[in-house]
Amino acid sequence: EMKLRNYSRNTISSYIGAVRGLYNFFKKSPRLLQTEDLKKYLLYLQDQGKSSQSISLAANAINFLYSQIYKRNGFLKFRHPKRSKKLPVVLNKKKIKNIFSQTDNLKHKILLSLSYGSGLRVSEAINMRVQDLDLIEKTVTIRQGKGKKDRISVLPESLINDLTMLAAGKSGGDYVFFSERGGHITAETAQKVFQNCLKKSGVKKPATFHSLRHSFATHLLENGVDVRYVQELLGHQNIRTTQIYTHVTNPGFRKIKSPL
């Protein structure tokens, strides 16, 4: 049903995992569960210290299962728990340069650099094809990103020579970040490349691959780029999602001196 509705692979995998968790908790078909059972399960996730995002995902999966698959009469959808308002982990330019310098593998270095320089999610980076790079106009097309939307972002001029070398001999439909086993490198590999470089760099922040995207947005705002342009480059549907970066980069705070 989710495939017919063109849900992304990640959403399908997440929903199936959530329903599997529901089954494993009660050891019986979810079709036999009542509303109180479902509440008990969501409270269990809360007691386990799961994040509001994880509980929200489980609630979404349950809502889909009972309203769209079982079509249970009178089923009232669960409201999503409030999302925690954590500030994104942002790395300054010096730390990013340090992290990138920790690998001699050209493909890995370009992967990290392009993800930061164009504001890519890990899935968007690994699925990038040669035909999506416009080395003359210095733009990159992200196809079927989150929400199945295409968008255009900036392509760093400093990467053009390296990307030209990486793409040499490939056809337009080939992956930029190919795997020796065929296809593209996996998200797990990309995450591991970043974590290895982070560890070697000595940077102590709890950063992930996605921190490169956070840093891209924050540094654009610091450079004076209008938040509406940043929204377009990131592919955010709602500008409120983009505005979280204004809390990280507020220049007014930097001018305030502690009374101590």
Side-chain angles (χ1 to χ4, degrees), residues 4-24:
L4 287 171
R5 296 184 187 207
N6 206 21
Y7 280 34
S8 72
R9 267 189 312 179
N10 285 346
T11 301
I12 292 172
S13 174
S14 298
Y15 277 23
I16 289 173
V19 173
R20 186 181 289 117
L22 186 66
Y23 172 80
N24 287 337

Side-chain angles (χ1 to χ4, degrees), residues 44-221:
Y44 162 76
L45 294 180
Q46 204 172 59
D47 292 341
Q48 291 295 303
K50 300 293 184 184
S51 69
S52 57
Q53 284 87 342
S54 296
I55 299 169
S56 180
L57 190 145
N60 275 335
I62 288 170
N63 289 340
F64 185 85
L65 179 68
Y66 288 91
S67 65
Q68 304 299 314
I69 306 299
Y70 294 156
K71 300 189 186 300
R72 182 175 287 184
N73 288 331
F75 176 76
L76 293 175
K77 288 185 176 182
F78 288 97
R79 294 179 64 184
H80 302 173
K82 284 188 177 179
R83 286 178 174 263
S84 55
K85 294 184 179 178
K86 290 182 179 177
L87 289 175
V89 175
V90 172
L91 301 158
N92 64 35
K93 293 173 186 177
K94 188 177 178 182
K95 285 187 172 70
I96 283 177
K97 192 174 181 181
N98 183 7
I99 290 167
F100 290 176
S101 68
Q102 302 305 315
T103 178
D104 293 324
N105 184 308
L106 180 63
K107 184 169 66 176
H108 292 168
K109 196 184 287 281
I110 297 173
L111 170 70
L112 298 178
S113 301
L114 184 65
S115 299
Y116 163 65
S118 301
L120 306 179
R121 299 177 178 93
V122 65
S123 59
E124 295 167 348
I126 63 175
N127 283 293
M128 186 69 58
R129 295 181 189 266
V130 172
Q131 64 198 13
D132 300 328
L133 304 172
D134 190 329
L135 303 181
I136 296 171
E137 293 295 329
K138 301 182 185 69
T139 61
V140 57
T141 302
I142 297 99
R143 302 188 190 280
Q144 299 293 282
K146 193 172 182 180
K148 298 284 182 181
K149 294 188 299 244
D150 291 357
R151 74 178 191 279
I152 291 175
S153 188
V154 291
L155 182 67
E157 191 169 355
S158 58
L159 288 182
I160 287 176
N161 288 341
D162 285 343
L163 283 169
T164 302
M165 278 199 300
L166 196 62
K170 295 190 178 63
S171 64
D174 289 341
Y175 290 109
V176 176
F177 302 108
F178 56 93
S179 168
E180 305 300 338
R181 294 186 294 274
H184 58 67
I185 65 171
T186 64
E188 290 76 16
T189 297
Q191 297 278 12
K192 189 180 284 187
V193 166
F194 176 82
Q195 289 301 326
N196 286 343
C197 290
L198 179 71
K199 190 175 180 181
K200 287 180 187 175
S201 72
V203 174
K204 299 300 182 186
K205 281 198 167 190
T208 64
F209 193 100
H210 205 71
S211 300
L212 297 175
R213 179 172 156 88
H214 292 322
S215 303
F216 166 82
T218 304
H219 297 163
L220 286 180
L221 290 170

